[in-house]
Amino acid sequence: MGTPHTIKRYGEVWPEFRIKSGFEILEKLKNKVIISGGWAWHFMSETGHTEYKHAHDHKDIDVFVKKENVAEAVVILQHEGFQKVWTRYDHLPGEENFRRYEKTVESDYGKFHRITFDFFERNDLKTIEIYGFTVVKPDVLLSFYRNIHSSDKCWAVMAAKDLLQKGTDPVGHPQLSKMPK
């Protein structure tokens, strides 16, 4: 969510082509990556939810890759037309060995959009399995906001914090994609 968090924009939805193109590449990487960020909240949400922009950040796809899977994941991305993109974060010290890969695609509607993968290496994550995808556990994912992920105002993050504080498992909970009042 690169734009400021404004309540006036609540109700805006992600274009279907963005969700579809993200799913297509994640399906090819599903045995190599651990999904994080907005896409992790997407998978944790109830099936058939509305893709509100303020519920889950689909601007980029955040993934963790175990060191033994890095080469294969990079080969898959490159085979799919993704290219390494240099960022200001590439030379910062950190354990995650950050990389970014991007590709521009044309939607069925003739619009072009960029698919961005923010790729972190890490071997010690607690994960859960959802629909055949490996996803960072909700409590661990929440700990990444303000250092790895920046969209801590999205509805799913706020709802998951609240649910976990109450002792409720957020996975599959309708609050993860429900517009706040």
Side-chain angles (χ1 to χ4, degrees):
M1 290 193 195
T3 58
H5 187 84
T6 58
I7 293 173
K8 293 178 190 175
R9 297 184 65 189
Y10 279 12
E12 292 180 5
V13 295
W14 288 105
E16 181 61 32
F17 62 83
R18 182 175 288 277
I19 306 303
K20 180 182 171 194
S21 60
F23 266 125
E24 287 171 356
I25 189 61
L26 282 171
E27 184 66 40
K28 293 174 182 174
L29 288 165
K30 82 184 320 180
N31 297 318
K32 304 293 176 217
V33 301
I34 300 165
I35 301 168
S36 191
W39 277 91
W41 296 120
H42 170 89
F43 280 101
M44 285 188 255
S45 295
E46 62 185 348
T47 305
H49 65 271
T50 301
E51 298 294 346
Y52 292 115
K53 285 188 176 182
H54 287 82
H56 315 121
D57 181 4
H58 289 300
K59 182 178 57 88
D60 58 10
I61 302 170
D62 298 303
V63 296
F64 286 93
V65 183
K66 291 183 178 180
K67 292 183 191 308
E68 65 266 18
N69 294 330
V70 169
E72 289 179 81
V74 169
V75 167
I76 291 168
L77 285 170
Q78 289 174 337
H79 183 262
E80 293 299 316
F82 285 84
Q83 296 181 344
K84 169 84 171 97
V85 175
W86 297 100
T87 73
R88 61 186 169 147
Y89 305 108
D90 288 334
H91 299 295
L92 294 178
E95 299 173 18
E96 282 87 15
N97 195 10
F98 172 78
R99 302 171 193 183
R100 179 171 285 165
Y101 290 88
E102 290 184 343
K103 163 180 159 172
T104 301
V105 296
E106 185 175 4
S107 72
D108 297 338
Y109 312 107
K111 291 189 175 187
F112 288 91
H113 72 283
R114 183 174 39 227
I115 303 172
T116 301
F117 263 90
D118 282 347
F119 179 116
F120 305 89
E121 288 181 35
R122 191 146 168 195
N123 282 354
D124 63 344
L125 288 175
K126 292 180 181 174
T127 63
I128 55 176
E129 197 80 16
I130 302 175
Y131 308 118
F133 292 88
T134 305
V135 178
V136 176
K137 281 187 72 173
D139 59 329
V140 175
L141 182 55
L142 287 174
S143 73
F144 294 153
Y145 286 87
R146 299 197 188 257
N147 61 0
I148 291 177
H149 302 316
S150 60
S151 307
D152 66 334
K153 299 288 187 257
C154 81
W155 305 339
V157 172
M158 294 186 299
K161 281 181 192 175
D162 184 54
L163 290 166
L164 286 169
Q165 285 174 350
K166 293 176 181 174
T168 303
D169 183 359
V171 176
H173 200 286
Q175 289 297 116
L176 292 185
S177 54
K178 184 178 178 186
M179 189 181 310
K181 294 180 181 181

